[in-house]
Amino acid sequence: MNSLTASPSETTRSSTAHDSAEYSQWVLKVSRNSDFLKIAPDCIRNDKGVVMIAMQVSYLGRALRHASPELRGNKHFILQVIKLQSAWGSEALKFVSSELKNDKEVVLAAIQRTGEALEHASLELRNDKQVAIAAVENQPRAIEFASTKLKNDKELILIAVAKDGLALEYASLELRNNKQVAMTAVANEPFAIQYISPKLRNDKEVTLLAIAKEPDSIKYTGENIKRDHEALIAAGMFDAYHDEGAKEIQKIRRRSKKIVLSTRFSLDTISVSEATRFTSLLKKHEYIEKGNFKVYSPNAFEKKTCDPNWTDFDHPCRGTLDACTYDNKFTQEGRPTNDCCWRHSFRYQLEEAKETGGFMLQLVETAWELGLIGHAKLGKGQAIEQDMAEQLGLKIFHVYRPAAFGVEQKFGNQSIMDVVSIIECWYANRCQDMSLCVIDSTQVSSE
């Protein structure tokens, strides 16, 4: 047979069925519905032409499972099937005889068409390094189906993660703790950091490599990195000026307008991740970077609270010391430390924004990553932050995530440009409109 559309007359068929009316009827039946092959007589299920027609009309050629045992063990026919259609490689190997699952020529032919065919090879060949290399070179995550021994083979894993860092998920625990393997994986795919060992998730060199490529990957790092100034600066969640001396800090603050971000907490691995991306892109925008703005991101700091429920809107604390019952600790300059109630710390930032002619920018998202269903809305903590900003008379912008066909999309440069253009316009108009400004992908309104 030379093509997928070859007719039964061009193939070897059973002499019993040849030229008979019965044969023609079965050809017609399987060409309309491949499931008819399951109930066909043995002579039909052993006919290469009919089986090939059934495979053509079935999903991924799965009609092969209804072919006769003799045909499913026919090496020449199976190799022909694999060569005809790459999508059939995995499914063909799934339904062939045990002997052919252990035939290296057949298995290599299948995995060279689609690496995931390795799943259906014999245990012996899944432990064959040559076979496994061929599989991961075609489809890196096919390493999932290699033997336990080969998942601990450094050479093989390096081949896989260099092509697809996320293949690290299937490496042995030992190799997920290997720094060379980890560096190779995150260099290819920053989010591979979620699969490295807990020890390496606190390794600064490995994590900074990931964060530099994808700021949001910081949420998968260890607790030490999530609180490391250099890492937070790389993720765009912390300004370098925080590491300067106290006097220099005060000079910078006096000449800088403060933007206070209000987002759902996003350093946790189960949190809404776009907050980190948004923060990084905003701070890199030329107008923000060169326009004497300093961005405060509360996610870059430890959180304490005087509220037993953390974000109870009815709890009386709104960040003032007379209402806050937490034993707050301050620096010598009177600034909140990490050992302060989050409400008091946040109010302090809002007050600085008010004093410097800044504003609060709240990111409004649908919390689908937290398992919630519904329209985009502020988180519970954000509602409290909005209340505090309104008490201070601070300008508030609500920014909704970009959407297409009702589905939230990732923030990109264009969506950040849209946000910044509204901010520019507000300053161009001398900040006269202090009402809530809503910014989304389809409209801009003041309320």
Side-chain angles (χ1 to χ4, degrees), residues 186-187 189-191 193 205-218 221:
V186 300
E189 170 51 67
F191 286 116
I193 198 169
E205 185 180 7
V206 175
T207 54
L208 283 177
L209 176 61
I211 295 167
K213 295 174 72 69
E214 176 50 71
D216 192 40
S217 64
I218 193 173
T221 63

Side-chain angles (χ1 to χ4, degrees), residues 401-416:
R401 279 179 63 175
F405 306 104
V407 179
E408 286 184 330
Q409 306 295 310
K410 290 184 176 182
F411 281 105
N413 290 326
Q414 183 57 54
S415 51
I416 297 298

Side-chain angles (χ1 to χ4, degrees), residues 179-196:
K179 190 167 181 176
Q180 182 187 0
V181 171
M183 293 283 283
T184 303
V186 300
N188 173 272
E189 170 51 67
F191 286 116
I193 198 169
Q194 64 189 293
Y195 300 123
I196 67 178

Side-chain angles (χ1 to χ4, degrees), residues 242-291:
H242 282 288
D243 288 334
E244 302 292 337
K247 290 183 178 180
E248 185 60 25
I249 290 175
Q250 294 305 323
K251 289 180 182 178
I252 294 172
R253 287 191 180 118
R254 280 195 294 271
R255 67 173 182 261
S256 302
K257 297 180 284 291
K258 173 160 281 189
I259 302 172
V260 178
L261 292 182
S262 169
T263 65
R264 294 180 185 271
F265 188 60
S266 65
L267 288 181
D268 220 11
T269 55
I270 63 169
S271 65
V272 179
S273 61
E274 278 303 288
T276 307
R277 180 188 300 276
F278 177 85
T279 303
S280 178
L281 289 173
L282 178 69
K283 294 177 73 172
K284 291 176 182 177
H285 191 281
E286 184 178 11
Y287 178 76
I288 300 299
E289 189 175 30
K290 298 181 179 180

Side-chain angles (χ1 to χ4, degrees), residues 127-168:
N127 193 42
D128 185 299
K129 188 170 179 177
Q130 180 189 359
V131 171
I133 287 176
V136 300
E137 285 182 339
N138 176 276
Q139 207 164 11
R141 295 189 210 183
I143 193 65
E144 175 185 2
F145 307 115
S147 68
T148 301
K149 176 184 176 182
L150 290 181
K151 287 179 181 178
N152 196 42
D153 186 292
K154 187 176 178 180
E155 180 188 5
L156 179 60
I157 295 299
L158 282 172
I159 292 173
V161 300
K163 289 177 171 291
D164 183 351
L166 295 179
L168 184 63

Side-chain angles (χ1 to χ4, degrees), residues 8 48 61 83 94 124 146 161 173 191 228 234 324 328 332 442:
K48 295 179 182 179
K83 292 175 182 177
K94 182 177 181 179
E124 179 181 341
V161 300
L173 292 177
F191 286 116
D228 181 83
C324 184
N328 296 291
Q332 290 182 349
T442 58

